[in-house]
Amino acid sequence: MHPRVTINMPEIPKGLPMIHAFAGFVDAGHSIRQTVSHLRSTLPHQLVAEISVDDIYDYRARRPIMTFDRDHFSSVDMPQVKLELFWDDRSKPFLVLHGPEPDLGWQQVTQCVIELAEHYKVSKTVGLQAIPWPAPHTRDIMVTAHASDPSLVQARPAIVDRVDVPGSLTNLIEFATGRAGIPALGFAVHIPHYLVNTEYPTGALTVIDELGKAAEVTLETGDLSIAAARVLAEIDESVASSTENQEVVAALEQQYDAETANWPNQLPSSEELMDQIEQFLADQDPQE
């Protein structure tokens, strides 16, 4: 069944970039969820369209949160996939499609996104991802950028060569919109694998920085920068309290420094990457 799309704003400025940001599978450190939350709490925005999730979401696998207050249910947080129009800190408009990654109907959802992109004549689509990576929190976050046309992304050292990875709706949308003739790009920030299930604002800061460059918008980080500094201090304190943790981080630092010193000649093998991805999958909470 084709998901139902409700259009709230038939007309908006043409030629805007469309960001797609799905929380769930490719949201290590909850970086994408924090990014969307930050945008919605700091920037003016308005609902443009909504994709109905009832036929594409598994409610029993990811149950909505309901609040019970003494003798009644006072609220419920139902899943929604929304396309919203935002205005950046210089009043420049851009679009953001966000919500939980649907469980079903990926090809139909992707077709909905293509139709929305064509209807609003977007200039390009930009996918946001955060993936687990064997790297220490004490080093700069690595970023893998990709696009239907490589000239769309800033040249940077290649972190991986060729590898088969589990698919995501974000990657499928990038692939399909590019095939449909819509310029498509995306990037994945590499979150330390031991922090994938932790609120890691540093990851969100990196996402926002990359988003600003890819969509050519101005985004202030505000309270997110303060939260990142606090969380990093807490992580450092936790590491310092355990000799074993210190040894792990030190080993990751040596590995990181060796790999970056030898770019682009020394790339992680597909087996190493898949080991990290499989560990990430094993650690996922089905309620997330």
Side-chain angles (χ1 to χ4, degrees):
M1 181 179 293
H2 199 286
R4 179 171 55 86
V5 178
T6 302
I7 301 293
N8 290 71
M9 296 178 65
E11 298 295 330
I12 63 173
K14 307 301 181 185
L16 303 183
M18 178 194 285
I19 316 305
H20 50 100
F22 292 98
F25 177 70
V26 284
D27 191 13
H30 306 305
S31 303
I32 307 305
R33 186 174 69 186
Q34 290 181 87
T35 295
V36 172
S37 177
H38 175 76
L39 295 178
R40 299 190 81 240
S41 65
T42 60
L43 298 178
H45 57 279
Q46 189 170 352
L47 180 64
V48 173
E50 186 171 354
I51 299 176
S52 174
V53 302
D54 272 357
D55 295 319
I56 57 177
Y57 187 90
D58 186 347
Y59 286 94
R60 290 188 298 177
R62 293 185 288 173
R63 295 179 183 271
I65 299 299
M66 301 183 68
T67 300
F68 183 78
D69 188 358
R70 293 179 64 87
D71 57 4
H72 68 286
F73 289 98
S74 58
S75 65
V76 58
D77 184 14
M78 296 297 288
Q80 296 175 305
V81 176
K82 295 181 176 181
L83 179 64
E84 294 184 309
L85 176 63
F86 284 75
W87 289 267
D88 76 356
D89 290 301
R90 295 183 179 176
S91 299
K92 184 176 181 179
F94 63 103
L95 292 165
V96 179
L97 178 70
H98 64 89
E101 181 183 58
D103 301 290
L104 309 169
W106 281 13
Q107 295 185 72
Q108 289 80 11
V109 174
T110 299
Q111 185 58 39
C112 287
V113 175
I114 292 174
E115 291 171 3
L116 286 169
E118 291 175 340
H119 176 79
Y120 292 113
K121 295 181 170 58
V122 304
S123 60
K124 57 187 172 184
T125 64
V126 181
L128 313 183
Q129 293 185 305
I131 61 175
W133 200 258
H137 69 280
T138 53
R139 298 292 188 268
D140 291 339
I141 292 180
M142 298 179 182
V143 179
T144 294
H146 34 78
S148 55
D149 176 356
S151 67
L152 294 173
V153 295
Q154 179 183 0
R156 63 187 85 195
I159 299 176
V160 299
D161 188 5
R162 176 171 177 160
V163 60
D164 294 327
V165 298
S168 69
L169 181 59
T170 299
N171 286 341
L172 181 60
I173 289 173
E174 179 181 330
F175 178 78
T177 51
R179 289 292 183 93
I182 302 168
L185 59 151
F187 54 86
V189 299
H190 297 207
I191 304 301
H193 62 282
Y194 52 91
L195 299 174
V196 293
N197 292 317
T198 301
E199 292 282 332
Y200 189 53
T202 300
L205 287 177
T206 306
V207 172
I208 289 172
D209 180 60
E210 293 290 336
L211 168 57
K213 291 183 289 188
E216 301 175 271
V217 294
T218 303
L219 305 171
E220 299 295 335
T221 55
D223 291 343
L224 199 58
S225 296
I226 299 173
R230 184 188 71 250
V231 170
L232 281 174
E234 292 172 354
I235 295 170
D236 285 338
E237 182 179 353
S238 176
V239 170
S241 67
S242 166
T243 301
E244 181 180 355
N245 289 344
Q246 293 177 43
E247 292 173 350
V248 169
V249 171
L252 288 170
E253 289 174 338
Q254 292 177 357
Q255 176 181 308
Y256 179 103
D257 294 342
E259 288 179 354
T260 55
N262 287 291
W263 277 345
N265 298 318
Q266 184 174 338
L267 298 172
S269 70
S270 60
E271 290 79 10
E272 292 171 332
L273 293 177
M274 288 308 298
D275 284 345
Q276 294 299 328
I277 292 170
E278 288 171 359
Q279 183 61 52
F280 174 57
L281 292 175
D283 291 340
Q284 293 308 287
D285 183 343
Q287 295 298 322
E288 285 294 315

